[in-house]
Amino acid sequence: MRRALGDGYVDALRAVYRGEVPESADFVMYWWHIAAETVRHGQARRFGFITTNSIRQTFNRRVLEAQLSAAQNPLHLAFAIPDHPWVDAADGASVRIAMTVGRSEAGEGALLNVIAEQETNEDAHEVTLAERLGILHADLTAGPNIAAVGPMTANANISTPGVKLHGSGFIVTPDEAANLGLGHVPGIERYIRNYRNGRDLTDKPRGVKVIDLFGLTAEDVRHRYPAIYQWVLERVKPERDQNNRAGYRDKWWIFGEARSEWRRMCATLPRYIATVETAKHRTFQFLDADILPDNRLVNIASDDATILGVLSSRIHVQWALAAGGTLEDRPVYTKTRCFETYPFPDANSEQAAHIRDLAEQLDAHRKRQQAEHAELTLTGMYNVLEKLRSGATLSAQDRAIHQAGLVSILAELHDALDHAVLDAYGWSDLADALVGQPGGTTPLPDKHVALREAEEEILTRLVALNTQRAAEEAQGQIRWLRLDYQAPNRDVAGSTGTLELGDSETSGVVTQKPAWPSSLAEQIEVVRRQLAASPASTDALAARFKRKPVKALTPVLTALHTLGFITHEAERWRLVS
């Protein structure tokens, strides 16, 4: 936007629509917002837009969510195609687009999904569409309303993207690292670290390292590690000097986004869980703590293989594919929508141990085969796995990957893991329709009826479980994923005595009064959750939090009442349904 329109226009635009359109939204979403407001206020009957298919990603989807959930005269979607090919006849550029039609009348809309497409010789694609009628949601789906679910405290503060360098000069080869002192200058290993980005995980690792000077001043670096100082002075500072952000210019020797919160999260862990933000196949794996993750990795600060197993299961992958966005034709894993909203199973000790064992086997199998075969990639292994499950004929290259990756064993491990996770949820009735079917790690447009119905039932149950957990958390019962880190000052006497994901000292369910949040957004969210659980007076609501914050609570209630989100009847606040 800034390149095309200039800083002045963009700053003015964002100032006018501050509080209405998120600054992270694409330019087209301002027009979508304007059109939606026009229809909602009775000045037009309908509107329609062609946008890129990133309209489903979180930063754009918030515009749709606000209009569809408005307290007065909410908008309704009459028609949507979430992902459709588009070829520009002028230059042949091929992109993916979405189509949306908004209206004021309530009722079902038509959702059309592309289930097959073929290029023609006329700068176009022939597509086959499948139509479905139903209430259309902000993520351009029909069926379970995943777009409406909220984050859970149990999953909070243990996930984040990796570091964002803002300077390619920070990356060094092993030989360059040795020339800078790695291996013979004491202490330098803390500041030249192993580094992984998305392609390192899905394709072949580059084996590069990164200069990480977080925690040091420029004077510290020049005095203690002069060779490193000169390296970043010559290769990073010139680029940073051109940056518009003063913080990036002034602290040029440190990453643009150094992720101090991530460093706190994983400080005591020997390993953590990572997934590539945008990838064809949704997979999770352990990375050693000495590896610094790139911004394109989403990282979960847990070394518990039970959590890895649940995340790697078809149940979570289906949730992630439905809750996340899409970039071109690749799914995007957004931590706020895919991880923080996901309700983990209430597994007993035996179930958790079984999931943990299978996840360790899965992680070890993939790493062992890739270590033995340098040409083997994670994407290649899962491409072949999907072909096996669909019954497709394997090419000579596929057969080579199948042998090198022992992909049939990979399939067995995934099937066993899916059975184990379904059992932990108590949903084994869906196993026959789900386990071993294609589409376990990547979107499958054309599904047979039984599989489509089973996946929709999984999402329906997960949405209901998210709602149930939200009500529990509103009463102070929180199923922490990493209890020792997320709630170190918990009231042990208030524990329910049952543990999430097995009898571990680092995870559990704790009943205690939550602290009053510090940010306004969190305050609004927690009040809405509390009132969704049960109506309450101001005093009774304040009593649900530590130190009974009546004074801080009152303006939040007043604002929500003014906006029409809550009502006040018989001295009790009630959420507007």
Side-chain angles (χ1 to χ4, degrees):
M1 287 172 62
R2 291 188 181 278
R3 283 196 301 269
L5 305 171
D7 290 341
Y9 182 94
V10 173
D11 291 339
L13 177 71
R14 290 177 173 171
V16 169
Y17 289 97
R18 185 169 293 124
E20 298 180 64
V21 179
E23 289 194 359
S24 58
D26 289 339
F27 186 46
V28 69
M29 300 312 297
Y30 289 86
W31 299 103
W32 207 101
H33 169 82
I34 292 168
E37 289 284 295
T38 303
V39 168
R40 285 184 51 230
H41 288 87
Q43 298 168 326
R45 293 176 58 194
R46 292 191 176 195
F47 70 88
F49 274 100
I50 296 175
T51 68
T52 65
N53 66 356
S54 63
I55 190 173
R56 293 186 296 165
Q57 291 199 40
T58 303
F59 55 86
N60 287 326
R61 195 164 70 205
R62 292 192 184 102
V63 178
L64 279 71
E65 289 170 348
Q67 297 294 337
L68 298 183
S69 62
Q72 296 182 345
N73 304 322
L75 187 76
H76 304 275
L77 291 177
F79 175 89
I81 301 181
D83 183 55
H84 194 288
W86 178 279
V87 179
D88 190 326
D91 59 14
S94 181
V95 297
R96 310 295 298 189
I97 59 99
M99 306 181 199
T100 48
V101 174
R103 68 182 178 197
S104 57
E105 301 90 357
E108 293 186 336
L111 176 68
L112 277 67
N113 282 298
V114 176
I115 60 173
E117 57 184 274
Q118 184 176 3
E119 292 186 21
T120 70
N121 296 323
E122 300 177 355
D123 292 328
H125 285 226
E126 290 183 357
V127 300
T128 303
L129 295 165
E131 182 180 29
R132 176 181 179 182
L133 299 179
I135 302 300
L136 305 190
H137 308 307
D139 57 352
L140 305 191
T141 63
N145 191 4
I146 296 177
V149 300
M152 293 184 295
T153 304
N155 301 18
N157 302 322
I158 58 168
S159 65
T160 179
V163 299
K164 197 170 185 178
L165 303 187
H166 283 280
S168 59
F170 287 114
I171 300 174
V172 294
T173 66
D175 288 342
E176 290 168 339
N179 291 334
L180 291 173
L182 185 63
H184 57 271
V185 175
I188 205 171
E189 66 278 359
R190 293 174 54 195
Y191 304 105
I192 299 182
R193 304 178 57 182
N194 292 322
Y195 183 62
R196 297 289 185 275
N197 66 8
R199 182 166 292 182
D200 291 326
L201 268 56
T202 61
D203 202 331
K204 298 174 184 177
R206 297 167 295 168
V208 298
K209 297 180 179 293
V210 68
I211 298 170
D212 177 21
L213 302 174
F214 179 78
L216 298 179
T217 66
E219 291 73 20
D220 289 336
V221 181
R222 186 170 58 241
H223 175 68
R224 294 164 57 182
Y225 309 112
I228 291 180
Y229 181 86
Q230 178 166 294
W231 180 278
V232 294
L233 179 71
E234 294 177 348
R235 291 168 173 79
V236 176
K237 190 174 185 300
E239 180 180 343
R240 285 289 191 86
D241 286 342
Q242 307 305 314
N243 199 291
N244 290 330
R245 292 182 59 172
Y248 290 171
R249 290 196 309 272
D250 296 342
K251 295 187 176 181
W252 51 267
W253 67 98
I254 297 173
F255 302 150
E257 301 295 338
R259 307 297 187 203
S260 58
E261 71 279 13
W262 170 246
R263 297 167 192 271
R264 289 192 297 270
M265 290 177 194
C266 65
T268 61
L269 297 177
R271 61 185 183 179
Y272 59 91
I273 300 168
T275 189
V276 181
E277 180 186 56
T278 304
K280 178 180 179 181
H281 296 281
R282 181 54 50 208
T283 61
F284 297 80
Q285 61 183 278
F286 278 128
L287 294 182
D288 291 337
D290 68 343
I291 295 175
L292 200 63
D294 175 78
N295 183 62
R296 294 304 182 185
L297 300 185
V298 178
N299 312 285
I300 293 95
S302 173
D303 63 347
D304 185 353
T306 309
I307 293 178
L308 174 68
V310 174
L311 293 175
S312 300
S313 72
R314 186 182 192 115
I315 297 84
H316 175 69
V317 170
Q318 183 61 31
W319 177 268
L321 293 176
T326 304
L327 180 62
E328 297 171 345
D329 59 348
R330 293 169 297 160
V332 177
Y333 192 88
T334 308
K335 78 177 190 71
T336 53
R337 298 299 306 168
C338 301
F339 177 75
E340 293 180 1
T341 62
Y342 183 72
F344 279 74
D346 189 7
N348 61 37
S349 300
E350 183 178 347
Q351 292 169 330
H354 186 39
I355 294 171
R356 186 178 302 117
D357 177 61
L358 289 169
E360 293 282 15
Q361 290 184 55
L362 175 66
D363 194 57
H365 174 82
R366 295 179 303 201
K367 288 174 178 173
R368 180 184 61 248
Q369 297 312 119
Q370 286 189 278
E372 292 177 359
H373 303 277
E375 75 285 357
L376 190 63
T377 69
L378 210 57
T379 298
M381 293 170 70
Y382 279 92
N383 283 342
V384 172
L385 174 57
E386 282 297 318
K387 285 189 175 183
L388 285 177
R389 284 178 163 166
S390 66
T393 302
L394 300 186
S395 66
Q397 183 181 10
D398 292 334
R399 291 195 295 272
I401 293 173
H402 177 268
Q403 183 58 39
L406 300 180
V407 177
S408 289
I409 295 177
L410 179 67
E412 277 195 347
L413 288 170
H414 269 289
D415 290 351
L417 188 59
D418 289 344
H419 275 292
V421 175
L422 283 169
D423 179 60
Y425 278 107
W427 299 341
S428 293
D429 58 305
L430 299 174
D432 288 345
L434 282 172
V435 178
Q437 296 297 314
T441 59
T442 191
L444 183 66
D446 190 13
K447 303 173 184 176
H448 59 76
V449 174
L451 177 58
R452 184 172 66 248
E453 290 178 348
E455 289 183 342
E456 185 164 310
E457 178 62 20
I458 281 287
L459 296 178
T460 299
R461 295 182 187 186
L462 288 171
V463 168
L465 188 55
N466 172 278
T467 302
Q468 176 188 326
R469 296 284 175 81
E472 290 177 356
E473 291 191 346
Q475 300 299 323
Q477 182 178 336
I478 302 172
R479 300 169 184 266
W480 301 102
L481 293 183
R482 189 178 161 199
L483 185 60
D484 61 330
Y485 178 80
Q486 293 171 294
N489 299 318
R490 64 193 183 279
D491 179 10
V492 177
S495 173
T496 65
T498 59
L499 293 180
E500 174 89 4
L501 301 180
D503 290 332
S504 165
E505 294 182 358
T506 60
S507 62
V509 182
V510 174
T511 300
Q512 60 175 323
K513 289 183 179 181
W516 179 246
S518 57
S519 74
L520 179 59
E522 291 174 323
Q523 292 168 5
I524 291 172
E525 179 62 25
V526 77
V527 168
R528 293 183 68 178
R529 286 195 173 198
Q530 290 283 344
L531 293 178
S534 62
S537 67
T538 302
D539 283 343
L541 195 57
R544 298 179 186 178
F545 300 93
K546 293 179 180 178
R547 300 181 181 177
K548 199 174 181 180
V550 175
K551 186 175 181 181
L553 175 63
T554 300
V556 176
L557 290 169
T558 301
L560 288 172
H561 183 248
T562 302
L563 293 170
F565 291 113
I566 60 175
T567 61
H568 194 234
E569 304 170 2
E571 298 186 353
R572 294 203 304 172
W573 298 100
R574 188 182 305 272
L575 191 67
V576 175
S577 59

